[in-house]
Amino acid sequence: MQHDKVLILDFGSQYTQLIARRVRELNIYSEIHPFNKIPSNIEEYKAVILSGSPFSVRGDQALHPDLSQIRGKKPMLAVCYGAQYLAHFSGGEVAPSNTREYGRANLSFIQKGEPFFAYIKKGSQVWMSHSDTIKHLPKNGILLASTHDVENAAYKIEGEPTYAIQFHPEVYHSTDGKQLLENFLVGIAGLLQDWTPDSFVEETVDAIKEKVGNDKVVLGLSGGVDSTVAAVLLNKAIGKNLYCIFVNNGLLRKNEFQNVLNQYEGMGLNVKGVDASKRFLDALAGIEDPELKRKAIGNAFIEVFDDEAHKIEDVKWLAQGTIYPDVIESVSATGGPSATIKSHHNVGGLPDFMKLKIVEPLRAIFKDEVRRVGATLGIDPELLGRHPFPGPGLGIRILGDITAEKVRILQEVDAIFINGLKEWGLYDKVWQAGAMLLPVNSVGVMGDERTYEKCVALRAVESTDGMTADWVNLPYEFLQKTSNDIINKVKGVNRVVYDISSKPPATIEWE
Ligand code: XMP
């Protein structure tokens, strides 16, 4: 089935992905493409949105899209840079703004009876973020809305389905932003709202069947949301021809290997658990440098996975849990800010010598959509709500060299912390939490004895994508109880600290 779809042309704004997500929340399928790579099947897109940009239309670095196949021919919404671009190059005027045009503003004027602003009232809050402003509208421009400081906040072009706004409807602070997008996409452009998790599951299962046929597929499960949802989708499509491998690298959380394996088996997946803890720990012995540790873990993973994949006779495909943000980052207009996140991808670096074709059933969807799809597939909500956990596991939370004893200590500490968060109803309020084992011994007293033992740091952060994060203000009573439990129950630890650094300048993992 073909869905109505929206083309979002990316001029490098930090909010471009948000536009796509907001459109998807309206159950309309959207795709992001760089502003200078208009897809050759442009006729298949029913509407176009131009994103904002870090550049100025007046500067040397201004980005120039070729809109000849779009403008006047399809409904087009130009946001921020897009709105300024239309004005600047079509007979209007853009100039640096005199007043600050960042943050909250309210619509002080809305053109009466204008379908673009249906259900939106004067006073509605919008989010501005620009240093240029539109002084004069382009030729045939009709003013649609203003704020106190920005007269030309929204306009349309007479005789064309072309709309432009200087504020950002995609951010949550624009309280009627979603309504505005709906007015444009449904009311004006006439798109159907038929992109739902159910339809996604149905179509993806069909597409996998067609692509893979009767071939065998191998997939590395991590216990995380993406690989699990990918596996369940594939399982629905090809059943026993899907061979899942779940590797115990010895750096998982306490009891994680067995628990997750049981869960997978309960879900009917054809999964093989491979306990390679010793192989990983041997490979890590004596290594202190964080990057070298990552390399050792990555290489050991590839070896184990490759060994196992070779045992599956005649396997042709490798399935991966790649999601849409990974895809967009690699084609982003300006290179994208997330180069470092990419290198994190633990299964992404499988070597070419495996000679497998790649199938990526989640390539088109965002993380929040992966969860919705997972729910539709009947996956346990607890599994879908799990905090992210890094591929190299506790290996990047043990500073200095890694030994079996240190892993045991950290597993105990981590379990007390995470179970505590659950018991206190705090787990879902935190984006990610974990403990770090520091290469520091300090003096303590226990009973009448002097101790000289390890220090652990607890870390709990709030974030949306891990790119930026802030520490969570956990209740003192919780921290007090957790610290007490850890020191009393975990032999080898006599000191607990709580990390109150944000990212940036710190990172989430200590490595
Ligand atoms: P940092 O420490 O860079 O972490 O602030 C950002 C987010 O990325 C996760 N992370 C990883 N995830 N494989 C992964 O799958 C990795 O190698 C990896 N390294 C870091 C980290 O847990 C946090 O959520």
Side-chain angles (χ1 to χ4, degrees):
M1 190 185 145
Q2 276 286 353
H3 293 278
D4 282 355
K5 51 185 183 182
V6 177
L7 170 65
I8 297 165
L9 287 182
D10 180 24
F11 292 84
S13 162
Q14 55 175 331
Y15 299 134
T16 305
Q17 288 196 26
L18 267 185
I19 303 180
R21 282 169 54 189
R22 236 21 106 241
V23 172
R24 303 264 189 107
E25 281 172 19
L26 293 168
N27 292 336
I28 296 174
Y29 183 66
S30 63
E31 277 175 13
I32 300 176
H33 291 262
F35 74 95
N36 54 359
K37 295 208 178 87
I38 294 178
S40 54
N41 58 342
I42 179 74
E43 67 286 349
E44 289 177 17
Y45 298 84
K46 275 190 89 169
V48 178
I49 300 179
L50 311 186
S51 84
S53 174
F55 300 108
S56 162
V57 293
R58 297 173 301 103
D60 298 340
Q61 291 177 298
L63 309 174
H64 298 278
D66 172 8
L67 299 176
S68 57
Q69 293 167 277
I70 296 168
R71 182 141 179 214
K73 300 182 177 146
K74 287 176 190 294
M76 182 174 91
L77 172 62
V79 174
C80 198
Y81 179 91
Q84 293 167 358
Y85 184 86
L86 284 188
H88 193 61
F89 292 102
S90 305
E93 187 192 346
V94 173
S97 48
N98 299 328
T99 48
R100 278 170 55 88
E101 291 180 358
Y102 290 102
R104 274 181 199 83
N106 298 86
L107 294 177
S108 53
F109 160 78
I110 295 177
Q111 179 70 31
K112 277 220 171 65
E114 170 54 51
F116 186 59
F117 280 100
Y119 311 108
I120 300 175
K121 295 205 172 63
K122 212 170 116 174
S124 173
Q125 177 176 297
V126 296
W127 193 257
M128 296 282 185
S129 177
H130 50 98
S131 47
D132 278 351
T133 198
I134 299 171
K135 283 264 186 274
H136 297 292
L137 293 181
K139 197 160 148 262
N140 300 333
I142 301 172
L143 182 67
L144 296 184
S146 310
T147 66
H148 183 264
D149 290 323
V150 181
E151 189 192 351
N152 298 316
Y155 64 89
K156 69 177 174 186
I157 306 285
E158 196 178 0
E160 285 179 25
T162 300
Y163 293 76
I165 45 183
Q166 286 214 79
F167 55 88
H168 289 270
E170 66 275 21
V171 305
Y172 284 110
H173 302 283
S174 288
T175 41
D176 293 313
K178 204 164 148 186
Q179 180 67 54
L180 193 85
L181 289 170
E182 186 169 355
N183 291 346
F184 171 69
L185 293 171
V186 182
I188 293 168
L191 279 93
L192 292 177
Q193 294 173 285
D194 59 0
W195 164 258
T196 60
D198 282 325
S199 71
F200 174 82
V201 169
E202 205 176 299
E203 288 155 29
T204 308
V205 166
D206 288 347
I208 295 171
K209 278 184 187 158
E210 199 181 313
K211 186 169 184 173
V212 171
N214 289 322
D215 291 349
K216 290 182 186 167
V217 178
V218 60
L219 177 142
L221 281 169
S222 69
V225 177
D226 300 343
S227 67
T228 305
V229 174
V232 175
L233 268 172
L234 279 149
N235 185 46
K236 218 171 146 77
I238 61 168
K240 292 287 173 248
N241 271 345
L242 173 68
Y243 291 75
C244 301
I245 296 171
F246 179 38
V247 177
N248 183 3
N249 58 11
L251 303 163
L252 300 175
R253 299 194 133 119
K254 186 177 175 186
N255 299 333
E256 175 99 338
F257 183 57
Q258 208 46 55
N259 290 346
V260 173
L261 203 53
N262 292 345
Q263 227 170 351
Y264 282 145
E265 279 166 0
M267 287 154 75
L269 294 177
N270 175 13
V271 52
K272 178 171 183 189
V274 181
D275 190 352
S277 321
K278 188 169 174 324
R279 190 156 170 179
F280 281 84
L281 288 179
D282 286 349
L284 283 164
I287 306 180
E288 290 187 8
D289 178 83
E291 283 303 310
L292 294 181
K293 284 197 283 188
R294 273 182 175 278
K295 282 218 174 75
I297 296 169
N299 290 340
F301 181 81
I302 289 168
E303 284 168 27
V304 173
F305 193 82
D306 191 51
D307 282 357
E308 291 303 322
H310 272 105
K311 291 181 195 161
I312 309 165
E313 210 176 304
D314 218 18
V315 61
K316 295 240 165 47
W317 297 82
L318 170 72
Q320 295 188 325
T322 314
I323 62 173
Y324 197 41
D326 306 328
V327 178
I328 308 167
E329 273 153 25
S330 58
V331 296
S332 151
T334 52
S338 358
T340 37
I341 292 274
K342 294 222 67 114
S343 68
H344 288 159
H345 250 268
N346 41 321
V347 194
L350 282 176
D352 290 342
F353 64 79
M354 288 187 64
K355 297 275 181 280
L356 295 173
K357 294 181 273 184
I358 304 283
V359 51
E360 297 174 316
L362 308 179
R363 256 184 95 77
I365 60 176
F366 288 104
K367 191 85 181 182
D368 43 342
E369 292 175 312
V370 175
R371 293 209 170 88
R372 282 165 66 196
V373 167
T376 295
L377 288 166
I379 299 176
D380 185 356
E382 202 178 306
L383 199 158
L384 294 176
R386 296 179 98 195
H387 290 170
F389 187 67
L394 301 181
I396 57 173
R397 296 184 179 169
I398 294 172
L399 282 75
D401 71 323
I402 296 172
T403 62
E405 173 61 5
K406 287 183 186 173
V407 173
R408 185 202 61 81
I409 291 177
L410 190 56
Q411 281 177 334
E412 296 298 331
V413 172
D414 177 80
I416 292 173
F417 184 34
I418 299 296
N419 291 338
L421 286 169
K422 288 182 179 161
E423 279 160 25
W424 285 59
L426 296 165
Y427 185 84
D428 292 332
K429 302 198 170 102
V430 168
W431 187 78
Q432 187 176 24
M436 320 288 156
L437 185 67
L438 309 187
V440 171
N441 278 36
S442 72
V443 173
V445 283
M446 283 196 191
D448 295 327
E449 300 270 322
R450 177 182 183 281
T451 60
Y452 191 59
E453 291 178 337
K454 288 265 170 296
C455 173
V456 291
L458 306 182
R459 182 109 166 104
V461 295
E462 47 195 21
S463 176
T464 49
D465 51 14
M467 306 257 298
T468 58
D470 207 356
W471 60 281
V472 180
N473 202 338
L474 293 175
Y476 279 160
E477 296 73 20
F478 169 75
L479 290 171
Q480 186 178 36
K481 165 98 171 53
T482 306
S483 160
N484 238 345
D485 283 353
I486 291 171
I487 294 174
N488 285 332
K489 291 181 186 158
V490 186
K491 197 163 166 284
V493 175
N494 69 355
R495 199 173 291 268
V496 175
V497 297
Y498 186 55
D499 184 348
I500 52 166
S501 337
S502 64
K503 171 184 180 174
T507 51
I508 295 175
E509 308 294 348
W510 284 38
E511 314 248 351

